[in-house]
Amino acid sequence: VVTIHDTVAWRFPDESAPVRAAAQEARRADAIICVSHFSAGEVKGMLGVERDPVVIYNGVDERFFTASQLRPEQRSGLGLVGPYLLHSGGAAQRKNLEALAEAWPALRRELPDLTLALCGPEHPRRTRLFAGLEGVRLLGRQPEDLVPKLVAGAAAVVVPSTYEGFGLPALEAMAAGVPVVAARASALPEVVGDAGILVEPTAAGLAAGVLDALRLGSGGSAMIDKARDRAREFTWERCVAEHAAVWRRLGAAA
């Protein structure tokens, strides 16, 4: 059984090179597991796999459903004063940070009290794009136990990626009851569904989506409730059970 989360190694030169034998192993596997229908299609198309992969969605950590917001001293330590828009993740090409950086000045003009918080390991692309922009905080990599609080305290979470095999940051925000603005690309619509704001992965699209998310008013509660309900469908217990079913099926056929 081979699990393939995405095909970024084959698609993007700034990602880690693909494992040399991966495509061959996928073609001869008795079963292939992918984390989204999007990734399943990518695997079949790019790796020459004939059999249909089994789609088993990832789960979301239960801590995000019950996460409290950052304490005042934690916010102060991170330089977060007032509402903040959060992006959490890497800075590879497919993360589309260029479009977010282009969108930010317009957002800042409309919402001068809003801060853009960028959480993730240090990366020269992120630093180059955002270090000189007003109202941006580069938080670097944060402790695992702080991340749910960081998400829960955000005014909105933005996921501008043009390519994701799944899109865990969007799902974590949904679980935490935070509005999600995500690119209408790759697996993100599959995860977000109609429980977030899906936009074109352009500066204009992202800016408009964030403004819509922060101005939802009374409709915001309904979207958040829908997002939480949708996030509850993505459990690790279901993920484990569906993996076990694959192994039982193969064992019975052996």
Side-chain angles (χ1 to χ4, degrees):
V1 178
V2 175
T3 297
I4 303 178
H5 291 264
D6 53 52
T7 58
V8 297
W10 288 270
R11 282 197 173 276
F12 298 96
D14 64 332
E15 299 279 352
S16 299
V19 176
R20 184 173 299 176
Q24 180 182 355
E25 289 177 358
R27 287 191 290 268
R28 65 184 182 140
D30 294 301
I32 299 170
I33 294 172
C34 291
V35 296
S36 66
H37 289 283
F38 169 77
S39 276
E42 288 282 280
V43 166
K44 286 197 72 174
M46 291 204 69
L47 305 188
V49 171
E50 293 185 0
R51 69 176 71 247
D52 290 330
V54 179
V55 174
I56 301 179
Y57 290 123
N58 289 326
V60 61
D61 195 313
E62 283 290 326
R63 293 179 303 164
F64 286 90
F65 288 102
T66 58
S68 59
Q69 299 187 15
L70 295 167
R71 297 191 303 274
E73 65 271 21
Q74 291 174 316
R75 287 180 62 106
S76 176
L78 294 172
L80 297 175
V81 179
Y84 61 90
L85 173 67
L86 179 65
H87 176 271
S88 180
Q93 176 186 342
R94 63 190 175 92
K95 298 297 183 177
N96 196 26
L97 293 183
E98 285 82 358
L100 181 57
E102 185 180 346
W104 177 245
L107 283 168
R108 179 74 172 177
R109 285 193 298 271
E110 290 287 330
L111 301 168
D113 294 333
L114 185 67
T115 296
L116 175 59
L118 298 162
C119 177
E122 291 187 14
H123 193 287
R125 175 182 281 115
R126 187 191 293 108
T127 301
R128 172 176 54 81
L129 288 169
F130 293 98
L133 296 182
E134 183 181 358
V136 174
R137 295 292 301 170
L138 299 176
L139 304 181
R141 188 190 294 274
Q142 292 298 311
E144 183 179 350
D145 61 345
L146 194 70
V147 172
K149 298 177 184 292
L150 188 62
V151 173
V157 166
V158 60
V159 188
S161 305
T162 57
Y163 188 106
E164 292 288 348
F166 184 72
L168 195 57
L171 184 58
E172 291 170 345
M174 292 160 63
V178 175
V180 175
V181 179
R184 191 182 291 108
S186 61
L188 290 170
E190 197 173 335
V191 173
V192 175
D194 62 352
I197 297 176
L198 296 171
V199 300
E200 293 304 309
T202 63
L206 292 169
V210 170
L211 289 175
D212 286 346
L214 298 183
R215 294 171 176 172
L216 279 172
S218 59
S221 295
M223 178 173 283
I224 286 170
D225 289 343
K226 181 182 290 187
R228 279 185 178 273
D229 288 343
R230 184 172 178 84
R232 287 189 179 95
E233 299 175 10
F234 293 84
T235 68
W236 285 118
E237 289 78 9
R238 186 177 78 169
C239 180
V240 169
E242 292 180 1
H243 275 81
V246 172
W247 284 94
R248 280 197 298 268
R249 174 173 58 81
L250 293 178

